[in-house]
Amino acid sequence: MAELSFVGRRLPKIDARDKVTGRAAYINDLKRPGMLHGKIKYSQYAHARILNIDASAAEKLPGVKAVLTGRDIPEMRIGFMKDITPLKKDKVRQFRDEVAAVAAVDPDIAAEAVDLIKVEYEPLPAVFDPLEALKPDAPLIHETDARGKPAKSNLLSLRWKLICGDVEEGRRRSKYLVEDRFQATWVSHCCLGVSGCVAEFDLDDNLTMYSITQIPYLAQNDFNAALAALGLKDKNTRIISPAIGGGFGSKLDTHVYEFIAILLAHKTRRPVKILFTREEEFMAQPPRQPAIINIAQGCDAEGRLTFRDVDMTLDNGAYTSWGATTPSVMMVPISSLYRVPNVHYEARCVYTNNVYSQAMRGYGNPQATFAVESITDELAEAAGIDPLEFRLINANRPGEVTPQCFKVTSCGLKECLDQVGQRLDWPVKKAAKKKARGLGLASLIHVGGGARVYKSDGHGMIMKIDDFGKVTVITGAVDIGQGAETVIAQVAAECLGVPPEDIQIVKGDTGICPWDVGTHASRQAFIAGNAALAVGAKLKAQILDLAGPMLETDPADLDIKNRLVFAKSNPERNMPLDKVLRRAHFTSQGKVLAAEHFYDPPNEMLDKEFKGNLSCSYAYGTTGVEVEVDEETGRVEILRYIAAHDVGRALNPMLLEGQIYGAAVMGTGYALTEQLILKEGRVMNDNFLDYKLLTAMDKVPVEPVIVEPIDECGPYGAKGVGEPGCVPSAPAIANAIYDAVGVRIKDLPITPEKVLAALKRKRGET
Amino acid sequence: MKQILNFTVNGEPVSLAVEPHWMLLEVLRDQLELTGAKEGCGMGECGACTVILNGRAVNSCITPALEAEGAEVITVEGLLQPDGRLSRLQQAFIDYGAVQCGFCTPGMILSAKALLDENPQPTEEEIRAALAGNLCRCTGYTQIIQAVQAASRKED
Amino acid sequence: MNRFSYLRPATLEEALDLLAQYGHKAVPVAGGTDVIINAKRRRLEADTLISLRRLTDLDYIKADARRLLIGGLTTLRSLEKSRLTSDRLPALADAVRNMASIQIRNVATMSGNIVNAAPSADTAPPLLVSEAEVRLTSTSGERIAPLSRFFLSPGRTVLEPGEILTEFIIPQPPEPFGQAYWKHSRRQAMDLALVSAAVHLELEDDLETCRRARIALGVAGPTPLRTPEAEARLAGRKITAEVLDDVGRVACGESLCRDSLRGQAWYRQEIIRVMVRRMGRLAFERARAKAAGARG
């Protein structure tokens, strides 16, 4: 490929300037004329009937403009299984159920009014363990399903089952076989920017939502459904995105508080802002999906995998959000991490009175990979094969088709494994067996070329160019901090031959920007990048078609670089780009240029058997760590952390490293310190003191290694990297701890208590 | 009952009527429209509200506004140089990828500035200690540390 | 958020007069890192805060041959940066370096940490092993109380309404002595102690025998506490690994650890055993290093 000018460069984020000067406006900073503030009253029981709600005192408080309860609003069911109502009417099913809402002239008055609302409950027996909730005598969380059909149990009708090959045959062929159980619990996204929105109706009853959603167009769809429930069927929602203070999947669903804001705005005919406190953020923002994972895996005498059999029970909490769909991505490593011919996977989701879960970076992959990569080490040990060697034996290769029918294009897994082995000095250090020190590694596979989890995986983009040669790119992408717009600008600049500073990105308005399914699945670099290539090519063709006659040259011989249109065969024949454009514009029947394209990648939705080429390409990686364990306290110190990632091509190495560093620290927190502690359904650590997010003092010495096999599908060969970084951290660390001190911790987080307790058991102490 | 508060913000004297229970953060954001300082937790646990008060980094969300009486307060908006250029630190944050979602950035920069003002050549450990009270979920801190190191190396 | 009035007396006398005047309706506040949080969590019982921050006369660290004097308005950050702390109160230096964050330490005072009387107060074990006394001042006069009798229960002390903790008085121990403090927490910053241990050792001239020992634990009971039995096991004995092991075990036995949201009792006890031993060793090594340095 020709030398690239902008792609592959460490260009700073386009919006960094606004952010370092405090000019970037987040939802927290947004004010609308006449705006009211909304606050929510939450349930004080995990499971109870609502007998009565007395809002009279709240309504009378000066400054209160509206009080709503479940009885004041039309029937409205939200969430993809439609089992959620914005305000609960008859029953509360989890501690944080929304029972009433207030709109007032300032947040303090709204909070005071919330306290004045009196709710009478009749507590019901509750269940907080999904295995308990499956028992026949367990209290029913939902008595009916969304359509009103009586429910027989707490088991969701949503079932996940993947069968590839013949797992029984695989078991029979195994020389070595191991079986174990792993568990992952709730963790919070901890976006520094808390959740919030402003809902505002215009005089025609069209809705504008100032929203931090990661899925503006799907949100538009959900909010339009809410409008229909309000009797506003033909009205439209416009989503305007301010700067977003972090996403990590927490904004992939539309949330109850957003519908409440809409209801309050509709009632008061004024804009209503709801902004969470940090306590609400921990308590009421759905966390990562927990999982109870039973896994068995076998190999032949040569260490080649013969089968993988996985069974999962997922605590669905009281209602359903994307957590219940994480098995669709858990299948990715289960079926396609390493070459395993026979796979059986089943997952069930069970209602409980705990909080419900949503998408979070990796979308089930971290949970599943924790199990897969832990058991792989156990199997390697049973087979007497070194863990790194075992993985090299089974590593995926470019061009293969996996049992789930993924068509692997580029695959840098082997190189990632080699890099990790080399940099950790693996054979030497493993042989040295230094006391309480150990090495561990784990790999990952994730979607790298979009993911057709929705009917469309497309991205619409428009480019226009003005008389000065300045380009505006109008994109449906949402930037949650990862740098989508910067990458788009780099690709557009590369394509059009103008510097990135000549590119302006317009985004964050569904009224202006074309449709995009959302910022998820690590897809923006790939999808928006490819869209930019397509639109850029169209726009460039238009420019060159115009320039051809001006330069008396065949347009096929023309190119653009550094704002100059020139003939490739004779660069002396040239004209500044802006001159070309002005000439074309200011003439009879003149032309002003714009191009558009809706890029929908050639990936497939999974069929009824959950098979299909979900993504255009797959990202691989390996994380290797060296740890030291304090055998008297159980503390684990990470001495080295190698994060090797197969990214196809690094469109912007600086932003890419940012994703790797950030995800590695998030993954390490997942492995060692983070957990949302629930006691009988109640979040106990709803603050940053007791929720152990890693600080700058908790150094994780991440060494990123970028592997670039240059993929055929991605823009300039790139694949996505937003999520992979946090996927293998936990199993790599767990494996290293086992190597160091011979104890394997199978439920996250791996706290010092768990390590010490395991060490004491091993030493025969009680 | 409101009281008059007189202090200096980014070199400019201000005089405002404030309620005694207001924190400095609200006064900066709501009265003075200096929205760079953010409320990330309201409890002094995340550092997103960090400003510099009389030369020291403080959590403005738990600083009673009246404590700023007669004080000099610097917010992120005050870091621009007189000719409009960014400060060394701000430029370094841009150049080293230290900004992702940016919510923690103003507070982070001010904590770093307070450090460099007192200790122009900090070690990595000293930088980490100075930034320990500024939580970041996006960056994993590494590029932030690199930015502060770069800013400390540059000569004016 | 609780609403409150906020008064800013300019002198100690004014502050004490206001406190006497308002009685239970007011609380004194220095850095505010505990009191303001309580107000925000709507746990404040008073409706008037009396700020002590203008009492800069009370912000000092002074030493003479016999004692170290620390004013009640001295911030944790000042203590962190002072050579006097690292020379005379090494355990306290260990403690303050790791408390919360610089933003908090810039305004939080040691007296606030002590008066707030959380079992996890990081400055308490170091001050206890240093046999600190506190000067409590009110409009009625002053009294000096030993810190060892200051804490009554979580959040409660012998401080009477109207009293302010105006000074810490720490006697200078005889050389050679060494101290060390360990805070066991899940993170390296912004964290409360899961359990903590401070050890103070005074050595005989042979630099191997312990003349006197003082050990204090945090989050090992309702208040920060000394462990006299463990101390007795050290006094007069040559300091060896076995002895320190024994001392750790005994200290653990004297603790009253509980299960709580933040940690389990069995684990806290394990850490006490290990950390008293390790801090004993560190205090010992520091004492010997100092003595070696002094002897040139």
Side-chain angles (χ1 to χ4, degrees):
Chain A
M1 191 173 261
E3 161 91 4
L4 298 171
S5 309
F6 309 111
V7 166
R9 295 278 190 84
R10 305 176 72 86
L11 290 183
K13 249 167 130 275
I14 291 179
D15 60 357
R17 220 179 164 79
D18 276 350
K19 289 175 174 173
V20 300
T21 52
R23 287 171 43 132
Y26 298 81
I27 193 70
N28 319 55
D29 308 313
L30 184 62
K31 287 189 181 134
R32 295 291 300 157
M35 189 172 82
L36 298 172
H37 297 264
K39 284 272 178 205
I40 299 170
K41 186 167 189 74
Y42 296 99
S43 161
Q44 295 304 302
Y45 289 92
H47 201 196
R49 272 192 219 296
I50 300 174
L51 297 176
N52 188 46
I53 304 177
D54 179 4
S56 52
E59 277 158 354
K60 291 197 202 93
L61 190 67
V64 169
K65 299 300 175 192
V67 181
L68 292 176
T69 73
R71 284 152 209 194
D72 304 319
I73 61 171
E75 191 62 24
M76 199 184 274
R77 290 187 151 264
I78 62 182
F80 84 92
M81 290 208 49
K82 303 273 174 269
D83 58 2
I84 311 175
T85 54
L87 290 169
K88 279 56 183 179
K89 197 164 57 169
D90 304 308
K91 209 167 95 138
V92 293
R93 297 175 173 85
Q94 57 170 1
F95 218 95
R96 54 151 278 206
D97 259 358
E98 300 82 356
V99 172
V102 172
V105 297
D106 74 50
D108 286 340
I109 295 176
E112 214 183 311
V114 160
D115 280 347
L116 290 174
I117 299 173
K118 301 277 167 274
V119 186
E120 255 179 82
Y121 295 99
E122 179 200 311
L124 296 169
V127 59
F128 303 109
D129 177 323
L131 299 175
E132 289 297 311
L134 279 173
K135 295 193 174 154
D137 53 345
L140 269 186
I141 315 296
H142 288 264
E143 282 120 6
T144 65
D145 68 13
R147 279 162 301 179
K149 214 170 79 147
K152 281 176 285 190
S153 77
N154 288 315
L155 189 61
L156 259 72
S157 55
L158 191 63
R159 308 288 279 280
W160 304 96
K161 195 168 179 150
L162 176 69
I163 299 176
C164 310
D166 182 346
V167 140
E168 288 316 310
E169 171 64 25
R171 279 179 187 268
R172 282 191 290 273
R173 281 205 298 114
S174 302
K175 176 92 194 290
Y176 304 99
L177 193 157
V178 287
E179 221 169 316
D180 216 332
R181 167 186 269 219
F182 297 89
Q183 267 184 259
T185 186
W186 300 279
V187 292
S188 294
H189 304 71
C190 295
C191 301
L192 262 291
V194 294
S195 303
C197 69
V198 178
E200 181 172 347
F201 282 91
D202 68 15
L203 295 174
D204 285 321
D205 276 337
N206 290 304
L207 171 68
T208 298
M209 280 294 274
Y210 296 89
S211 165
I212 53 177
T213 179
Q214 290 175 239
I215 44 157
Y217 300 88
L218 303 187
Q220 176 191 19
N221 195 42
D222 286 349
F223 298 143
N224 280 354
L227 293 183
L230 283 170
L232 303 170
K233 185 157 119 32
D234 292 319
K235 301 301 174 181
N236 203 4
T237 303
R238 179 176 181 177
I239 309 270
I240 296 183
S241 311
I244 298 177
F248 312 114
S250 63
K251 284 109 186 166
L252 283 186
D253 201 352
T254 42
H255 292 296
V256 171
Y257 78 86
E258 296 176 289
F259 293 90
I260 290 177
I262 293 172
L263 290 165
L264 288 171
H266 185 249
K267 180 82 195 281
T268 59
R269 312 305 310 170
R270 284 168 72 165
V272 172
K273 180 178 200 173
I274 291 185
L275 193 67
F276 274 8
T277 63
R278 180 55 62 180
E279 289 74 33
E280 270 177 299
E281 190 73 14
F282 276 112
M283 176 199 48
Q285 256 295 335
R288 188 190 279 286
Q289 178 63 54
I292 301 170
I293 305 171
N294 291 298
I295 181 167
Q297 189 166 260
C299 67
D300 64 17
E302 278 77 51
R304 287 179 299 227
L305 289 169
T306 47
F307 81 96
R308 198 177 274 153
D309 193 350
V310 185
D311 180 277
M312 286 192 194
T313 301
L314 305 189
D315 182 339
N316 197 60
Y319 302 95
T320 312
S321 176
W322 298 128
T325 63
T326 52
S328 64
V329 176
M330 288 167 169
M331 288 176 190
V332 171
I334 287 171
S335 72
S336 306
L337 181 59
Y338 307 130
R339 279 173 297 121
V340 49
N342 304 296
V343 174
H344 180 113
Y345 171 51
E346 250 186 270
R348 68 199 61 82
C349 306
V350 188
Y351 281 124
T352 65
N353 294 113
N354 288 320
V355 297
Y356 61 95
S357 300
Q358 65 175 322
M360 183 169 172
R361 201 176 200 173
Y363 209 99
N365 201 339
Q367 297 92 314
T369 301
F370 176 57
V372 169
E373 280 293 60
S374 293
I375 201 91
T376 295
D377 253 34
E378 292 187 65
L379 183 59
E381 186 182 34
I385 301 174
D386 170 88
L388 174 57
E389 187 56 38
F390 190 90
R391 287 164 171 88
L392 285 166
I393 291 167
N394 291 286
N396 304 90
R397 296 179 192 138
E400 70 179 48
V401 179
T402 77
Q404 205 176 344
C405 301
F406 297 162
K407 297 193 180 103
V408 175
T409 50
S410 63
C411 174
L413 179 57
K414 182 173 181 312
E415 195 182 336
C416 289
L417 286 161
D418 284 339
Q419 285 283 342
V420 164
Q422 210 180 305
R423 285 158 192 269
L424 284 180
D425 210 7
W426 186 274
V428 170
K429 285 224 165 123
K430 286 282 274 183
K433 279 250 103 297
K434 197 160 172 192
K435 184 161 157 58
R437 277 214 190 168
L439 297 182
L441 60 80
S443 298
L444 75 106
I445 173 180
H446 201 67
V447 293
R452 192 165 297 269
V453 295
Y454 192 70
K455 290 164 283 196
S456 171
D457 191 17
H459 181 111
M461 189 180 283
I462 300 167
M463 283 186 198
K464 75 173 195 67
I465 189 163
D466 69 9
D467 299 325
F468 304 93
K470 307 295 182 205
V471 178
T472 300
V473 179
I474 307 170
T475 168
V478 162
D479 190 295
I480 50 175
Q482 84 285 30
E485 49 180 0
T486 306
V487 162
I488 291 170
Q490 283 177 268
V491 170
E494 193 73 55
C495 197
L496 292 170
V498 302
E501 53 265 34
D502 285 2
I503 313 265
Q504 190 198 343
I505 309 288
V506 168
K507 65 184 206 309
D509 187 335
T510 59
I512 297 170
C513 308
W515 197 96
D516 171 63
V517 71
T519 292
H520 65 175
S522 306
R523 66 189 280 281
Q524 287 299 349
F526 180 92
I527 305 266
N530 271 343
L533 275 179
V535 185
K538 287 185 183 178
L539 187 63
K540 185 174 180 179
Q542 290 181 34
I543 296 169
L544 298 184
D545 280 345
L546 290 173
M550 292 180 201
L551 289 172
E552 292 169 342
T553 308
D554 181 357
D557 187 31
L558 292 176
D559 200 355
I560 316 173
K561 270 228 167 9
N562 291 321
R563 304 176 178 131
L564 191 73
V565 182
F566 64 96
K568 286 181 279 201
S569 58
N570 177 16
E572 305 287 302
R573 209 179 263 267
N574 61 52
M575 186 182 290
L577 173 61
D578 57 343
K579 195 163 174 191
V580 170
L581 294 165
R582 281 199 296 277
R583 274 226 189 139
H585 178 185
F586 296 112
T587 181
S588 168
Q589 296 186 301
K591 290 193 165 61
V592 165
L593 303 185
E596 69 78 38
H597 187 71
F598 183 72
Y599 173 72
D600 197 358
N603 50 24
E604 298 167 5
M605 221 163 171
L606 298 178
D607 62 22
K608 280 200 299 268
E609 302 192 331
F610 298 107
K611 293 178 185 166
N613 192 25
L614 182 63
S615 187
C616 293
S617 59
Y618 298 88
Y620 286 86
T622 303
T623 290
V625 302
E626 183 179 3
V627 303
E628 184 158 35
V629 180
D630 184 330
E631 293 182 280
E632 290 186 303
T633 66
R635 269 234 183 119
V636 175
E637 193 187 336
I638 301 181
L639 301 174
R640 295 194 64 201
Y641 187 117
I642 316 292
H645 286 281
D646 157 23
V647 302
R649 181 198 292 271
L651 295 175
N652 184 324
M654 188 164 75
L655 300 191
L656 197 158
E657 284 162 15
Q659 291 306 299
I660 294 176
Y661 289 125
V665 172
M666 186 180 272
T668 302
Y670 189 51
L672 296 176
T673 63
E674 292 182 42
Q675 52 179 330
L676 196 65
I677 301 172
L678 265 70
K679 197 169 149 183
E680 305 210 317
R682 182 188 203 144
V683 172
M684 302 303 289
N685 56 341
D686 58 355
N687 58 74
F688 278 129
L689 181 62
D690 287 318
Y691 185 91
K692 308 293 180 186
L693 196 67
L694 297 181
T695 71
M697 287 283 283
D698 301 291
K699 181 173 175 176
V700 182
V702 181
E703 299 166 48
V705 179
I706 297 177
V707 168
E708 294 177 287
I710 312 291
D711 190 81
E712 67 203 46
C713 308
Y716 299 97
K719 297 191 274 196
V721 77
E723 291 164 286
C726 68
V727 170
S729 321
I733 291 169
N735 289 340
I737 293 169
Y738 183 78
D739 187 48
V741 290
V743 299
R744 179 168 292 284
I745 307 303
K746 302 172 202 171
D747 77 291
L748 299 175
I750 302 172
T751 60
E753 286 95 326
K754 289 177 187 168
V755 174
L756 187 61
L759 282 170
K760 283 161 71 69
R761 275 195 301 272
K762 185 163 183 284
R763 297 196 285 252
E765 304 159 24
T766 34
Chain B
M1 207 185 72
K2 284 190 177 168
Q3 286 168 244
I4 302 295
L5 171 67
N6 295 296
F7 66 119
T8 310
V9 181
N10 299 328
E12 302 279 320
V14 294
S15 186
L16 298 165
V18 303
E19 293 281 359
H21 63 271
W22 285 355
M23 295 295 127
L24 181 58
L25 180 64
E26 287 106 84
V27 168
L28 292 171
R29 286 179 57 80
D30 299 336
Q31 318 304 109
L32 297 173
E33 296 189 335
L34 295 166
T35 54
K38 306 289 181 208
E39 178 163 326
C41 72
M43 295 286 173
E45 289 168 355
C46 77
C49 68
T50 304
V51 299
I52 296 179
L53 186 129
N54 289 338
R56 299 196 189 104
V58 298
N59 293 122
S60 62
C61 72
I62 53 170
T63 301
L66 292 173
E67 286 299 344
E69 178 66 35
E72 280 184 31
V73 173
I74 301 176
T75 71
V76 72
E77 290 89 347
L79 296 185
L80 284 181
Q81 303 190 55
D83 60 3
R85 279 187 309 147
L86 298 175
S87 69
R88 266 201 335 266
L89 254 180
Q90 286 169 309
Q91 191 59 53
F93 266 61
I94 294 174
D95 294 339
Y96 282 80
V99 182
Q100 288 188 32
C101 86
F103 200 84
C104 76
T105 300
M108 194 71 79
I109 289 178
L110 288 167
S111 283
K113 174 178 163 58
L115 169 71
L116 294 182
D117 284 350
E118 187 185 86
N119 178 359
Q121 304 282 300
T123 63
E124 180 183 334
E125 209 183 306
E126 286 169 329
I127 296 173
R128 285 183 180 273
L131 301 183
N134 292 79
L135 297 180
C136 175
R137 192 47 151 169
C138 295
T139 67
Y141 305 105
T142 299
Q143 288 163 316
I144 293 175
I145 312 276
Q146 289 171 352
V148 178
Q149 286 171 323
S152 71
R153 279 193 306 263
K154 278 223 184 80
E155 300 293 328
D156 249 321
Chain C
M1 162 98 174
N2 289 139
R3 291 179 175 232
F4 48 77
S5 301
Y6 198 81
L7 306 176
R8 301 183 68 234
T11 65
L12 178 59
E13 269 143 14
E14 253 186 81
L16 293 172
D17 282 338
L18 285 171
L19 274 176
Q21 191 187 319
Y22 278 84
H24 283 115
K25 292 200 289 189
V27 293
V29 55
T33 55
D34 288 317
V35 174
I36 298 296
I37 307 286
N38 286 338
K40 288 201 168 199
R41 292 217 163 106
R42 315 225 238 145
R43 288 197 225 134
L44 203 62
E45 275 155 25
D47 58 21
T48 299
L49 298 187
I50 296 172
S51 166
L52 306 177
R53 288 213 223 184
R54 291 176 75 190
L55 311 184
T56 50
D57 287 349
L58 291 182
D59 180 0
Y60 57 83
I61 307 171
K62 295 195 287 235
D64 61 32
R66 289 186 309 117
R67 307 172 308 175
L68 186 65
L69 298 170
I70 300 173
L73 259 295
T74 309
T75 63
L76 299 175
R77 185 76 172 140
S78 299
L79 287 164
E80 186 185 350
K81 286 158 70 168
S82 164
R83 274 296 301 276
L84 284 173
T85 318
S86 41
D87 286 344
R88 309 272 283 237
L89 291 173
L92 185 65
D94 289 342
V96 292
R97 186 180 311 133
N98 259 337
M99 284 173 76
S101 64
I102 286 188
Q103 290 97 316
I104 298 287
R105 299 201 291 278
N106 273 334
V107 299
T109 60
M110 185 157 73
S111 61
N113 188 237
I114 291 297
V115 161
N116 192 50
S120 57
D122 283 303
T123 60
L127 287 171
L128 283 173
V129 300
S130 303
E131 298 209 307
E133 295 175 305
V134 289
R135 183 185 302 277
L136 307 175
T137 312
S138 71
T139 47
S140 341
E142 282 190 337
R143 59 188 178 115
I144 307 228
L147 193 66
S148 54
R149 289 210 275 277
F150 187 75
F151 303 107
L152 296 174
S153 65
R156 280 187 57 235
T157 69
V158 301
L159 199 71
E160 296 284 335
E163 277 186 325
I164 293 176
L165 198 169
T166 49
E167 188 177 60
F168 293 91
I169 303 156
I170 299 120
Q172 175 63 17
E175 295 286 1
F177 79 93
Q179 293 183 342
Y181 173 75
W182 176 259
K183 169 184 188 160
H184 201 72
S185 57
R186 300 190 189 280
R187 295 189 294 202
Q188 301 296 322
M190 294 301 294
D191 218 341
L192 293 182
L194 204 55
V195 74
S196 62
V199 178
H200 169 100
L201 296 178
E202 289 162 29
L203 301 182
E204 299 286 6
D205 288 334
D206 67 358
L207 298 186
E208 285 178 34
T209 311
C210 171
R211 182 190 297 148
R212 287 185 62 195
R214 296 195 284 267
I215 300 169
L217 305 176
V219 206
T223 67
L225 53 91
R226 290 264 298 268
T227 55
E229 283 169 42
E231 294 169 5
R233 291 290 182 114
L234 257 179
R237 291 172 80 183
K238 271 198 162 40
I239 297 172
T240 64
E242 293 74 34
V243 167
L244 288 174
D245 241 347
D246 185 40
V247 170
R249 241 189 352 92
V250 175
C252 173
E254 289 181 86
S255 67
L256 300 154
C257 295
R258 283 185 333 153
D259 287 338
S260 76
L261 174 73
R262 295 179 173 140
Q264 295 173 283
W266 77 266
Y267 185 71
R268 289 179 160 128
Q269 285 175 321
E270 286 286 329
I271 300 304
I272 289 170
R273 197 170 53 75
V274 170
M275 285 309 164
V276 166
R277 192 192 81 224
R278 290 188 189 178
M279 291 305 103
R281 166 142 309 272
L282 182 54
F284 180 46
E285 283 164 9
R286 283 176 172 176
R288 285 162 65 97
K290 238 199 299 177
R295 288 167 197 191

